[in-house]
Amino acid sequence: MTRRRPPDTVRVLAPRAEAGRISRRALLGGFAAIGTATLLGCGGSRTMASTAKPDGALEDRLNVYSWGDYESPDNIRAFRDAHDITVQVDSFASNEEMIAKIGASRGTSGYDVLVPSGQFVPMMVANDLLSPLDHSLVPNIAHLEKAFTNQPWDPGNTHAVPKAWGTTGFAYDTTKIDGSPRSWRDFLDVAAGQASGSVSLLDDPWEVSSIYFGAEGIDPNTTDPKALDAAEGYLTTELAPHVRAFNSAPTQSIVQNELALLQMYNGDARLAFTESDEPDRWRFVYPTPTANLWVDTWAIARGAQHVDAAHAFIDFMLDPETAIGEVDWNGYPTGITGQRALAEEWELEMLDLIFPPDDVVSRLTPAELTDAQDRLTAILEQVQAKAG
């Protein structure tokens, strides 16, 4: 069957360039140590700007603040043309960067739609940075899988709905590494052995520490000081000397066959493999016992002025035919029921890297924003300082 991908159009937003493009799961380390008050720009008790009330009339403009290169330009153009709405998409590189900007503006940022990761939604709600969704204006919520609705961080999808989801694993070069590593313990053993000096880690505090916690069977969201001490000790002395790079978008390293073992996100691995001249030399592993289950969301900013257009846009993106175009673009599922079957109709490549198997999903652990965040950041900084 011929893939029903929308026809190519002029890329009016950030172009999908070479494999080294900005990844959705981009740099967190530089922002994670910022305290909440600073992060939110809480310098006093300034009043938050009011969000406009929906009145049933679509505005002529929509301002979206999202991760770089994260939405299909074809879908943006289709929404624009269908409703005669000017759509402006600006990008951020981390949740922390986005929250700092939105918090400092006190509802006057000018943005209507935001794309926070799920674990950051409670903090944003608590600080009045998001506006509740009007579900009557987003009927396509009915297409969402139950697994991606009513999350603990947003009961009833009051403030957010899924935009994309994925997980973390590792890729390895089969021409440089013998055997079949399958776990985080295997990852650590290979890093200190066959892959020594040719290892890349994500530039993310939670993700780096979770390697050790996974290998030891410890809850990756632990705040236990003893577990954190043990993680720092092991990662700085046993892993760091073998690490060559910290990169949250290591696709280019695979395309150029530069490294042997890379911690990375499943969608980024798929992008790298599809753009590699030698994809068969690479394998991606969903490691045991667990890894991150992240969910990015669509939400409406406090102070948004184009609220009818914002709800219409979110509803448009939840339409199954639109959503599969997003999957085709960035390689991550969107939580829509029956999406894998539609992806097969579209003849998308490497479906197992888009849709982790059910037995993998059942053992994943959503990352949480906890009191240990500053400590995790300090651990990452120490690992980077000790890297070989």
Side-chain angles (χ1 to χ4, degrees), residues 242-256:
H242 307 285
V243 177
R244 178 175 166 186
F246 295 84
N247 191 345
S248 287
T251 50
Q252 191 64 30
S253 294
I254 286 180
V255 172
Q256 296 181 354

Side-chain angles (χ1 to χ4, degrees), residues 224-241:
D224 180 4
K226 291 183 179 179
L228 294 166
D229 288 345
E232 180 173 6
Y234 185 95
L235 293 171
T236 56
T237 61
E238 302 298 326
L239 177 60

Side-chain angles (χ1 to χ4, degrees), residues 82-358:
H83 299 289
D84 194 23
I85 294 174
T86 298
V87 181
Q88 174 68 40
V89 181
D90 293 338
S91 64
F92 54 80
S94 74
N95 284 284
E96 290 85 351
E97 178 185 350
M98 178 267 294
I99 293 170
K101 184 171 185 176
I102 299 302
S105 74
R106 289 308 205 184
T108 63
S109 67
Y111 293 116
D112 304 300
V113 175
L114 306 176
V115 186
S117 297
Q119 71 265 33
F120 289 84
V121 168
M123 181 174 73
M124 296 184 73
V125 171
N127 287 276
D128 202 18
L129 302 186
L130 299 179
S131 298
L133 294 173
D134 184 337
H135 285 205
S136 70
L137 300 179
V138 193
N140 281 325
I141 285 178
H143 293 298
L144 290 170
E145 295 182 60
K146 291 188 181 300
F148 297 99
T149 60
N150 200 35
Q151 292 290 318
W153 35 261
D154 185 33
N157 296 98
T158 303
H159 290 89
V161 292
K163 184 253 190 283
W165 66 274
T167 186
T168 313
F170 61 84
Y172 67 94
D173 186 340
T174 61
T175 69
K176 299 176 182 177
I177 295 173
D178 298 326
S180 300
R182 288 291 174 263
S183 68
W184 286 122
R185 173 53 60 191
D186 293 340
F187 179 95
L188 292 173
D189 290 343
V190 171
Q194 297 178 78
S196 180
S198 191
V199 179
S200 174
L201 302 181
L202 293 169
D203 191 10
D204 180 299
W206 193 97
E207 297 286 9
V208 170
S209 288
S210 73
I211 298 173
Y212 172 80
F213 294 140
E216 295 297 319
I218 299 170
D219 179 358
N221 289 310
T222 184
T223 59
D224 180 4
K226 291 183 179 179
L228 294 166
D229 288 345
E232 180 173 6
Y234 185 95
L235 293 171
T236 56
T237 61
E238 302 298 326
L239 177 60
H242 307 285
V243 177
R244 178 175 166 186
F246 295 84
N247 191 345
S248 287
T251 50
Q252 191 64 30
S253 294
I254 286 180
V255 172
Q256 296 181 354
N257 300 316
E258 292 178 329
L259 300 171
L261 182 66
L262 305 93
Q263 184 190 26
M264 64 192 311
Y265 302 105
N266 59 300
D268 287 350
R270 176 180 176 270
L271 172 66
F273 294 176
T274 57
E275 298 194 6
S276 170
D277 291 333
E278 301 177 84
D280 291 341
R281 71 187 283 175
W282 291 95
R283 298 288 183 275
F284 182 80
V285 176
Y286 294 109
T288 59
T290 192
N292 190 6
L293 173 62
W294 55 263
V295 181
D296 289 336
T297 70
W298 296 114
I300 294 180
R302 175 61 188 263
Q305 296 302 299
H306 309 112
V307 289
D308 286 280
H311 282 92
F313 177 79
I314 293 172
D315 190 60
F316 176 80
M317 287 298 193
L318 294 182
D319 178 84
E321 288 289 335
T322 304
I324 196 64
E326 291 297 295
V327 177
D328 190 16
W329 173 255
N330 61 43
Y332 291 106
T334 69
I336 298 295
T337 302
Q339 194 161 71
R340 177 161 185 141
L342 193 52
E344 290 172 354
E345 289 185 31
W346 276 44
E347 298 182 355
L348 301 191
E349 300 176 344
M350 301 186 184
L351 291 184
D352 286 343
L353 286 180
I354 298 175
F355 302 96
D358 290 344

